[in-house]
Amino acid sequence: MKINPPLIALAIGAFGIGVTEFSPMGMLPVIADDLGVSIPRAGMLVSAYAIGVLIGAPLMTLGFARMGRRSLLLLCLALFTVGNLMSAFADSYMTLLISRVVTSFNHGAFFGVGAVVAASIVPPHKRASAVSAMFTGLTIATIGGVPLATLVGETIGWRPAFFGTAVIGLIAMVSLRFSLPPMKSEVKADMMAELKVLVRGNVLSVLLLTVVSSSAMFVVFTYIAPILKEETGASAGFVTAMLVVYGTGLAIGNLVSGRLSDISMDGTLIGSLLSVAVLLVLFSFTMDIAWAVVPIIFFWGMATFALVPPLQVKVVTEAADAPNLASAMNQGAFNLGNAIGAALGGGVIDAGLGYPAVALAGAGMALSGLIFALTLRQWAKAKARLAASHA
């Protein structure tokens, strides 16, 4: 699909947000050492961001429902920039925690409204590919932005890394201002209509599947830096290289998933969840072998992000008559899974079960998502047969 200027602008914004969301994972040991906290407590910075996304998504989406789509996206990026500047000047763990929550409030509305905008400017059969194109910015962030932030954190310090991320926010704001049309909102602040759509069984099912699927990722990815340092015996350079490998997998998985999801969203979801489960089991047994870690991390990244486009399109499709809140809440659901995964991984570490058990916990979450996805598929088929019999 030919990428058009509005999609490129959205991808630039997604790049900046992707850097600030994922960079703390690579800098976790540095932040923990500098602030004098444990790795699991530093991991709560990830959970705080995720909870902020969950809270901010409905507040921003409903509170600014009448605002033009471009203006709302610019407001989101302004919050993003201010939050990262606060993080750059944070002098304590609690200050950094609060800064992460402030930063997170932009996330759900930006990706939620952005996904609706992306899907609305292409033909219906290209919607998954359009959403995938927007999320390309997020995957590019994992290839270049996050490893670079990790390298800066290791060599200069984590505060300059957050300052650099704030600069990205300013660049994204300028790009969106001049590349995206105003796109006045057609919503008439019908909060009840948005909320009614949100509580539909089909919509809630997709949101729950998003929570479980993202949990499988963040159980392990939150602690990827200490895993590689302690289990693989990796240097800072190797950790950065593995983040690039993982990000490359995310990017390829995103692009492939966009095309496959246009053919079969359910098939893409089921295949991706099965792949994540198998790869994390393998990782639990091979994380102490450097040469084996490289391909596993690549394919794990590929399978993980292959879940994002179909889940985002499914929730927009199920909530087609009032998609903005549901789309934003899917980002909230993704980050709720982020918080649950980070907490679960931290709990496994605190229990003294070891890092291989963290990978097995991630595999268990992926299997739970697989079972749920298969169940939803059977329910949908049964519902279709029942409707056909009454036609």
Side-chain angles (χ1 to χ4, degrees):
M1 183 182 70
K2 183 178 180 181
I3 304 299
N4 56 38
L7 290 182
I8 295 174
L10 289 168
I12 293 172
F15 172 81
I17 296 174
V19 172
T20 202
E21 179 182 14
F22 292 120
S23 58
M25 284 77 160
M27 298 189 293
L28 214 58
V30 177
I31 293 173
D33 289 343
D34 185 63
L35 297 179
V37 298
S38 66
I39 289 291
R41 192 177 183 205
M44 292 305 295
L45 295 169
V46 177
S47 296
Y49 183 95
I51 296 300
V53 174
L54 185 64
I55 296 171
L59 290 179
M60 294 289 292
T61 304
L62 294 179
F64 297 95
R66 286 189 170 183
M67 182 177 284
R69 302 298 84 182
R70 184 180 68 184
S71 296
L72 178 53
L73 293 172
L74 289 173
L75 175 62
C76 289
L77 286 174
L79 275 175
F80 162 88
T81 304
V82 170
N84 277 288
L85 286 174
M86 290 174 62
S87 297
F89 291 103
D91 58 358
S92 68
Y93 174 81
M94 189 54 63
T95 304
L96 182 58
L97 192 74
I98 294 170
S99 301
R100 292 295 291 166
V101 173
V102 171
T103 307
S104 70
F105 263 58
N106 82 91
H107 188 121
F110 182 89
F111 281 113
V113 173
V116 173
V117 170
S120 69
I121 57 178
V122 297
H125 67 285
K126 292 290 186 180
R127 286 175 180 170
S129 295
V131 173
S132 174
M134 184 189 77
F135 277 94
T136 297
L138 185 59
T139 59
I140 292 175
T142 63
I143 295 173
V146 174
L148 179 60
T150 301
L151 184 61
V152 170
E154 292 276 1
T155 56
I156 303 176
W158 57 269
R159 291 180 180 86
F162 279 115
F163 183 80
T165 307
V167 173
I168 296 174
L170 291 175
I171 295 172
M173 289 178 70
V174 173
S175 300
L176 279 169
R177 173 62 181 81
F178 291 103
S179 300
L180 200 66
M183 298 189 72
K184 293 183 179 180
S185 175
E186 297 179 0
V187 177
K188 298 181 179 179
D190 193 348
M191 187 178 298
M192 289 306 300
E194 293 277 353
L195 291 173
K196 285 179 181 179
V197 168
L198 189 64
V199 298
R200 287 178 185 167
N202 290 346
V203 174
L204 288 175
S205 296
V206 178
L207 293 176
L208 181 57
L209 182 57
T210 298
V211 171
V212 177
S213 300
S214 62
S215 295
M217 172 185 177
F218 285 100
V219 169
V220 183
F221 187 61
T222 301
Y223 305 98
I224 191 64
I227 286 173
L228 292 174
K229 286 187 173 182
E230 296 189 24
E231 293 293 326
T232 316
S235 65
F238 186 85
V239 172
T240 301
M242 288 306 94
L243 291 175
V244 174
V245 168
Y246 185 77
T248 303
L250 291 182
I252 295 174
N254 178 59
L255 293 174
V256 172
S257 175
R259 295 182 180 276
L260 291 178
S261 297
D262 283 333
I263 299 171
S264 173
M265 280 189 287
D266 287 340
T268 303
L269 283 171
I270 291 168
S272 299
L273 285 165
L274 178 60
S275 298
V276 169
V278 171
L279 288 163
L280 287 180
V281 170
L282 289 174
F283 188 44
S284 71
F285 289 105
T286 61
M287 60 176 58
D288 59 340
I289 307 171
W291 63 264
V293 162
V294 179
I296 289 175
I297 286 180
F298 171 77
F299 287 112
W300 171 44
M302 187 173 174
T304 295
F305 218 82
L307 294 166
V308 176
L311 285 170
Q312 195 70 34
V313 173
K314 277 180 75 71
V315 78
V316 170
T317 301
E318 296 292 349
D321 48 333
N324 291 287
L325 179 59
S327 181
M329 285 306 296
N330 197 50
Q331 289 301 309
F334 182 85
N335 279 270
L336 176 59
N338 181 332
I340 292 171
L344 177 58
V348 171
I349 295 169
D350 278 338
L353 298 178
Y355 287 118
V358 174
L360 290 177
M365 293 301 293
L367 285 175
S368 299
L370 175 62
I371 293 169
F372 188 38
L374 290 170
T375 301
L376 291 179
R377 190 180 191 183
Q378 289 303 114
W379 284 349
K381 288 181 178 180
K383 185 177 180 180
R385 287 195 297 267
L386 183 62
S389 67
H390 287 85

